[in-house]
Amino acid sequence: MHMDTADILKKVRQIEIQTGKLVEETFAGQYLSAFKGQGIEFSEVREYTPGDDIRSIDWNVTARSGVPYVKKFNEERELTLMIACDVSASQRFGSADKFKQEAAAELAALFAFCALKNSDKVGLLLFSDQVELFVPPKKGKKHILRLIRELVAFEPKGTGTDLALALNTLNKLLKRQGILIFISDFLADPHPFAAPLRLAAKKFDFIPVLIQDKLERALPKLHACISLRDPESGGEKYVSLADPHLHRVLGWQRQAWQEQLQDLFRPLKISAIEIDPAQPTADPVIAFFRQRARKEHL
């Protein structure tokens, strides 16, 4: 999907305007609630006042002064948001008016502008069957716009998908805990990436985003023959959409894949955000934030 400079700038500006408005009106506060700080840091000591938690008494200062003192702590609010995005050939597909790659860019921008609003750092990893691009986490609007530009216009060298490589790279490169938004269609055998995913889920607040077109979920039942081409392998074959056996096999394959993915996510208490490129990108994110808020209050 080649774009000239004018088209790239226009698309980045469009995403900036749409996303900025959503963040201001809906998402900034929900992002803040959903993603807490990574710990607490010591601030100062002050005299004890009735109602203070006695567990916070600083006994050394109290002993020296003869007056009860308590330690005061502040939440360490600054977070690091890392966005990992699949840019393999299967992302340049869409049966409606938007490719999966475009929906991924919109969703990544939504999270990135939320992070900008809350003064968090944002980084980016683009991957196919190789690591295509790594941008270390930084703050600032100029940095965020650069990330969106990469998401919109990057031309990958690879065509395949290696989820294990992407996860292993992130596990090694990122020393500090943070939020990891991992965007892919996940259309791969889950077994090779299971171990690095488990490690990433322990190390980060790991949020998988499944972007899938409706035709990847089910083919229409029509009296027609079509050519199916795998964009990653280049393999091609003709099929009849009226063939009931085809639909049964595809249904079994999809169910088996879904069960394997859920068997991987469930023990780690991971909830995926599911995106349909034909639908508004923001709606599943709103649902995700609400789900996180309910869990916080349980």
Side-chain angles (χ1 to χ4, degrees), residues 103-122:
E106 290 176 7
L107 180 126
L110 197 53
F111 277 100
F113 274 108
C114 282
L116 175 68
K117 181 76 173 175
N118 288 282
S119 298
D120 292 337
K121 294 179 180 178
V122 187

Side-chain angles (χ1 to χ4, degrees), residues 43-293:
S43 174
E44 60 182 351
V45 293
R46 60 168 175 76
E47 281 194 40
Y48 174 87
T49 56
D52 285 338
D53 188 341
I54 60 171
R55 291 174 296 181
S56 65
I57 291 176
D58 187 321
W59 294 106
N60 290 330
V61 176
T62 298
R64 289 198 301 269
S65 65
V67 178
Y69 272 79
V70 293
K71 295 177 182 177
K72 185 180 176 184
F73 295 88
N74 291 330
E75 182 184 18
E76 188 183 348
R77 172 55 217 140
E78 182 180 288
L79 293 170
T80 297
L81 173 73
M82 193 70 200
I83 299 168
C85 191
D86 181 349
V87 291
S88 62
S90 65
Q91 299 305 301
R92 297 188 291 277
F93 173 75
S95 62
D97 60 350
K98 191 189 299 178
F99 286 173
K100 292 191 288 182
Q101 181 180 342
E102 295 174 87
E106 290 176 7
L107 180 126
L110 197 53
F111 277 100
F113 274 108
C114 282
L116 175 68
K117 181 76 173 175
N118 288 282
S119 298
D120 292 337
K121 294 179 180 178
V122 187
L124 178 68
L125 179 91
L126 301 181
F127 67 92
S128 56
D129 49 14
Q130 57 189 284
V131 173
E132 299 278 357
L133 177 72
F134 175 71
V135 182
K138 282 176 59 178
K139 292 184 180 182
K141 186 174 180 180
K142 185 177 179 182
H143 175 70
I144 298 299
L145 292 176
R146 183 232 165 148
L147 301 188
I148 297 171
R149 190 167 64 250
E150 297 288 8
L151 284 157
V152 166
F154 189 84
E155 294 287 344
K157 296 181 179 70
T159 57
T161 308
D162 193 334
L163 300 178
L165 173 64
L167 288 162
N168 280 324
T169 302
L170 291 163
N171 288 333
K172 289 173 185 173
L173 285 176
L174 301 179
K175 305 301 180 187
R176 183 183 172 91
Q177 285 185 329
I179 306 158
L180 173 55
I181 309 294
F182 197 89
I183 306 171
S184 175
D185 53 25
F186 284 84
L187 292 175
D189 179 2
H191 291 101
F193 63 85
L197 187 145
R198 290 189 191 102
L199 181 57
K202 289 179 182 177
K203 189 172 182 180
F204 312 111
D205 188 348
F206 181 80
I207 301 162
V209 180
L210 275 71
I211 296 190
Q212 289 193 4
D213 189 271
K214 63 181 181 181
L215 290 186
E216 293 172 318
R217 294 192 294 273
L219 290 174
K221 295 178 181 179
L222 301 170
H223 289 284
C225 289
I226 62 168
S227 171
L228 292 180
R229 181 178 175 274
D230 186 329
E232 297 190 7
S233 69
E236 189 172 1
K237 63 180 177 180
Y238 287 88
V239 298
S240 169
L241 294 178
D243 183 358
H245 178 68
L246 170 71
H247 293 282
R248 280 197 300 272
V249 170
L250 292 176
W252 292 334
Q253 289 176 343
R254 179 168 180 81
Q255 184 177 353
W257 169 81
Q258 284 179 318
E259 288 173 356
Q260 288 176 332
L261 209 55
Q262 284 306 312
D263 287 346
L264 182 56
F265 288 168
R266 196 178 300 110
L268 301 170
K269 295 182 170 57
I270 291 173
S271 297
I273 301 174
E274 297 189 12
I275 300 290
D276 180 343
Q279 303 300 321
T281 308
D283 291 350
V285 183
I286 292 172
F288 165 77
F289 279 138
R290 286 175 178 162
Q291 182 187 37
R292 291 280 293 234

